[in-house]
Amino acid sequence: MNVGVAHSEVNPNTRVMNSRGMWLTYALGVGLLHIVLLSIPFFSVPVAWTLTNVIHNLGMYVFLHAVKGTPFETPDQGKARLLTHWEQLDYGVQFTSSRKFFTISPIILYFLTSFYTKYDPTHFILNTASLLTVLIPKLPQLHGVRIFGINKY
């Protein structure tokens, strides 16, 4: 019986994005989302790309920038419960490979979406607003900052 099996990390949440195959799984998940949206008959290609981008960025915002704490029992005296997953990533060290990957991936998806929507103004505004909602919280200057007290507790 493996009750209370110990792990070597103080907070396993800090290293999960560096685990083996995580980036490939992430990219395949985004690709699968796009294929599912393309298979819906009444969605045009530009609508499917815009929905892929918006759903991806909404999910990324929720899971990386809105949810705080860890799903694990951590011996860090409750420090992690006040931090979002992005702030816990790589123990808060900026510009690591995983942080760069999760910053670049929405930008690449944005460029692909803009290209396939042929820079239509409506799609362009929606995709730009969606991109900014996930890029601004990733800035190093906003590490631990709660604008207007949102997500303070």
Side-chain angles (χ1 to χ4, degrees):
M1 189 163 153
N2 291 332
V3 176
V5 175
H7 47 76
S8 62
E9 295 288 332
V10 173
N11 180 0
N13 228 17
T14 60
R15 299 276 184 202
V16 70
M17 295 302 187
N18 289 326
S19 62
R20 188 178 180 105
M22 182 61 188
W23 296 359
L24 178 62
T25 304
Y26 172 81
L28 290 174
V30 173
L32 181 66
L33 170 67
H34 183 65
I35 289 171
V36 167
L37 290 173
L38 276 175
S39 68
I40 298 174
F42 53 88
F43 284 166
S44 65
V45 172
V47 169
W49 273 104
T50 298
L51 282 174
T52 301
N53 189 35
V54 169
I55 291 169
H56 166 267
N57 290 342
L58 178 66
M60 182 176 265
Y61 178 79
V62 168
F63 291 119
L64 289 181
H65 304 294
V67 177
K68 291 169 40 174
T70 65
F72 312 103
E73 181 78 28
T74 58
D76 65 355
Q77 303 294 317
K79 293 176 189 169
R81 76 178 174 82
L82 299 174
L83 300 174
T84 63
H85 189 80
W86 181 258
E87 294 164 346
Q88 294 175 40
L89 192 62
D90 295 328
Y91 295 105
V93 176
Q94 300 295 323
F95 305 115
T96 59
S97 58
S98 58
R99 283 182 180 252
K100 288 177 186 176
F101 175 78
F102 287 107
T103 301
I104 296 295
S105 57
I107 296 171
I108 292 171
L109 185 60
Y110 172 76
F111 284 147
L112 285 170
T113 302
S114 296
F115 176 76
Y116 283 107
T117 58
K118 298 181 176 126
Y119 303 99
D120 178 63
T122 306
H123 292 281
F124 191 76
I125 290 169
L126 281 171
N127 291 318
T128 303
S130 176
L131 177 69
L132 291 176
T133 60
V134 295
L135 282 187
I136 291 174
K138 287 178 173 58
L139 293 172
Q141 296 84 357
L142 295 178
H143 183 82
V145 174
R146 304 292 181 254
I147 298 175
F148 303 122
I150 296 172
N151 206 9
K152 186 176 180 180
Y153 298 105

